Amino acid sequence: MHHPNVIPRIGKRFLSILDLDPEQLDACLGLAARMKRARAAGVPHERPLVGRHFALLFEKPSLRTRSTFQIAVRELGGDVIEPPADVAMGGRETIVDVARNLERWVFGAIVRTYAQARLQAFADAAPRLAVVNALTNEEHPCQALADCQTLQERWGSLAGRTVTFVGDGNNVARSLAQAAVMLGAHVRIASPKGYELPAVACSEIARRARFGGSLDLTNDPIAGVGNAVAIYTDVWASMGQESEAAARHEVFAPFQVNSALMSRAAPGALFMHCLPAHRGDEVTDEVIDSSVSVVFDQSENRLHAQKALLALMG
Ligand code: CP
Ligand code: NVA
């Protein structure tokens, strides 16, 4: 049990939402909200990263994650280095050796890569390095922090609220479910057959639920959105799955989030998307541009949530 007046710190690893205990998740989201208010009011906050560098290592494209980490580190007083792709992640030397070099120079590394196991191997090679998952094939924990911040801004508490993810049982769905059940939400994931969140991920998530939170999977998008107060979707083919895009387009068509599907959710239900969106595929313009869409709040909150994360790490 953490003392109520002491903000619980996060360790040197943020590879997954599951690296956080509930008190750490609450602390991170609370600090994110305070940092957002301070920034809007122009009130200076602490600069715990003065004298610290972070390496940004991205094996896949990024607008939001890269930009918000650059700003986050600098607003906290630190600086970033961005080793070019041709030397960063294992083409020229092993990722284990890259990690061991970086450990001698920088405080932390923010890594976007393919398999979670590759990120784990990188982190294992450099125990003194703070390591942040900036998206893997399996998880996107920084996104989930911003998503939960966005939901808490609307409702205060997520306890007892139904949040439905419609689409691929992917990295974004997994991290969202991990975080949201820890905050007491009922998470539903509606996916086509064969594209569900893996069973092992589901049992891990169910074990983390608090305040009556739960996880349910369905193959029926209409039943999935019933009573939901937020509908979340993501691209049908993630980065690295480009060769499957045409086949997935057929399978996922009934899972498009359009006005007809939104009308089956609770009245006023929010629309969420991690972005980038493929407009006309997983979501229509009408929905993503509607008054219930909070996609740019999510994008803004990437900055605040990651500032809080970095301020509490190490
Ligand atoms: N949502 C998200 O992670 O966006 P980027 O891929 O642009 O970083
Ligand atoms: N599921 C998507 C998320 C992009 C932010 C991908 O992995 O490409």
Side-chain angles (χ1 to χ4, degrees), residues 11 173 180 192 204 216 295:
E204 271 172 355
D216 286 297
V295 299

Side-chain angles (χ1 to χ4, degrees), residues 58 61-66 112 134-135 140 143 239 274-276 302:
F58 281 61
S62 170
L63 170 65
R64 280 150 290 274
T65 309
R66 183 188 286 276
R112 171 168 288 195
L135 180 147
H140 197 3
Q143 182 68 51
M239 293 181 279
C274 55
L275 305 178
R302 296 295 304 277

Side-chain angles (χ1 to χ4, degrees), residues 18 138-139 174 178 196-208 215 217:
L18 301 181
E138 291 90 345
E139 304 197 32
R174 185 187 305 211
Q178 289 170 344
E196 298 93 347
L197 199 62
V200 53
C202 293
S203 43
E204 271 172 355
I205 291 165
R207 277 200 299 277
R208 293 302 189 101
L215 174 66
L217 304 192

Side-chain angles (χ1 to χ4, degrees), residues 143 147 231-235 271-278 282-283 288 294-295 298-299:
Q143 182 68 51
D147 297 339
I231 309 300
Y232 199 127
T233 193
D234 185 14
V235 292
F271 173 73
M272 303 181 75
H273 194 307
C274 55
L275 305 178
H278 291 174
E282 75 272 7
V283 61
I288 197 171
V294 293
V295 299
Q298 294 172 257
S299 175

